[in-house]
């Protein structure tokens, strides 16, 4: 039985493998990505390890340490060996990733863009994928840089705003769902694609009559 979003998860995994298969060996092994210190092969190693990580998740353990272990293990594999593991990962997602498909899909889509943007590749985003990127970015931001709590995030391509209500007059950031999601996830390289507006002070009591 297919669980909700499982079809989308499988499809995005296969799209990632298509992106990676087009990379020359030197770019696959050591090309830049938006993940500091990680090459495309390192990002793939992390993503393949997500199935195991979700199954063995322990909230008291360091997620960053688990990610580093995944990458170290993947570096012991040749490109052919890692790609073979990735094909099985794409075709048969672990039960843990299927149950947590929204989280796994958002993480996958963000990391896919890390590779695409890092190496300067082209990719047509399916209509739903930018929303997964935005949601994952908002989740990551709420636990790390807190941008989603301090900015009113306003997508320009058809998604309701996120963050503090407009009545609080927060600073605003405008952009596509994909760029906003990547920025919320800490990818500052996309900031030039966004429009930032300063917060506006509320009118002073003495000024209110003039506003009527």
């Amino acid at each position: 039985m297919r669980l909700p979003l499982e079809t989308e998860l499988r499809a995005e995994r296969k799209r990632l493998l298509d992106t990676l298969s087009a990379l020359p060996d030197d770019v696959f092994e050591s090309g830049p990505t938006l993940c500091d210190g990680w090459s495309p092969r390192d990002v793939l190693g992390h993503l393949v390890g997500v199935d195991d990580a979700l199954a063995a998740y322990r909230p008291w353990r360091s997620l960053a340490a688990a990610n580093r272990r995944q990458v170290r293990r993947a570096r012991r594999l040749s490109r052919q060996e890692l790609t073979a593991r990735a094909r099985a990962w794409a075709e048969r997602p672990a039960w843990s990733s299927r149950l947590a498909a929204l989280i796994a899909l958002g993480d996958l889509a963000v990391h896919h863009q890390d590779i695409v943007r890092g190496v300067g590749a082209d990719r047509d985003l399916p209509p739903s994928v930018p929303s997964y990127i935005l949601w994952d970015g908002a989740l990551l931001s709420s636990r790390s840089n807190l941008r989603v709590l301090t900015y009113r995030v306003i997508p320009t391509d058809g998604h309701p705003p996120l963050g503090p209500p407009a009545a609080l007059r927060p600073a605003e950031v405008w952009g596509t769902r994909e760029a906003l999601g990547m920025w919320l996830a800490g990818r500052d390289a996309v900031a030039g694609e966004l429009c930032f507006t300063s917060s506006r002070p509320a009118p002073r009591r003495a000024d209110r009559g003039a506003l009527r």
Side-chain angles (χ1 to χ4, degrees):
M1 180 181 69
R2 289 287 175 96
L3 297 174
L5 297 181
E6 183 179 343
T7 297
E8 289 87 345
L9 177 64
R10 292 173 185 265
E12 182 64 8
R13 287 184 173 187
K14 290 177 180 177
R15 286 191 289 265
L16 171 68
L17 295 188
D18 289 341
T19 295
L20 290 168
S21 68
L23 300 182
D25 285 341
D26 61 328
V27 177
F28 178 83
E29 296 291 341
S30 57
T33 73
L34 299 193
C35 289
D36 290 341
W38 282 7
S39 66
R41 75 130 52 229
D42 292 333
V43 175
L44 178 60
H46 158 65
L47 289 170
V48 169
V50 164
D51 277 11
D52 296 332
L54 283 176
Y57 175 67
R58 300 294 184 273
W60 57 87
R61 292 181 180 173
S62 168
L63 183 59
N67 291 342
R68 289 192 294 269
R69 285 194 297 272
Q70 294 162 2
V71 170
R72 285 198 300 270
R73 285 196 295 266
R75 286 175 179 171
R76 302 185 191 118
L77 304 175
S78 68
R79 179 174 186 174
Q80 292 73 22
E81 291 168 334
L82 180 55
T83 299
R85 282 198 60 190
R87 288 196 189 102
W89 160 85
E91 293 169 3
R92 297 184 296 279
W95 65 267
S96 52
S97 291
R98 293 167 60 211
L99 288 173
L102 181 58
I103 295 172
L105 182 52
D107 183 61
L108 169 64
V110 166
H111 283 309
H112 193 169
Q113 291 307 106
D114 285 335
I115 295 171
V116 168
R117 284 176 168 273
V119 303
D122 293 322
R123 126 155 151 117
D124 292 326
L125 285 168
S128 60
V129 168
S131 290
Y132 304 138
I133 294 171
L134 179 63
W135 298 339
D136 193 64
L139 176 63
L140 291 172
S141 177
S142 68
R143 295 187 288 112
S144 57
N145 56 45
L146 304 184
R147 289 170 175 172
V148 75
L149 303 180
T150 55
Y151 283 84
R152 184 162 173 81
V153 178
I154 305 176
T156 56
D157 56 351
H159 191 282
L162 304 176
L168 296 180
R169 298 178 177 266
E172 297 176 342
V173 55
W174 299 66
T176 65
R177 287 169 291 160
E178 185 265 348
L180 288 169
M182 298 298 288
W183 178 77
L184 288 172
R187 277 58 171 182
D188 289 337
V190 310
E193 301 174 24
L194 305 175
C195 178
F196 295 85
T197 62
S198 299
S199 57
R200 295 168 295 163
R204 292 175 298 176
R205 185 178 299 274
D207 295 337
R208 296 196 178 186
L211 297 177
R212 289 177 186 151

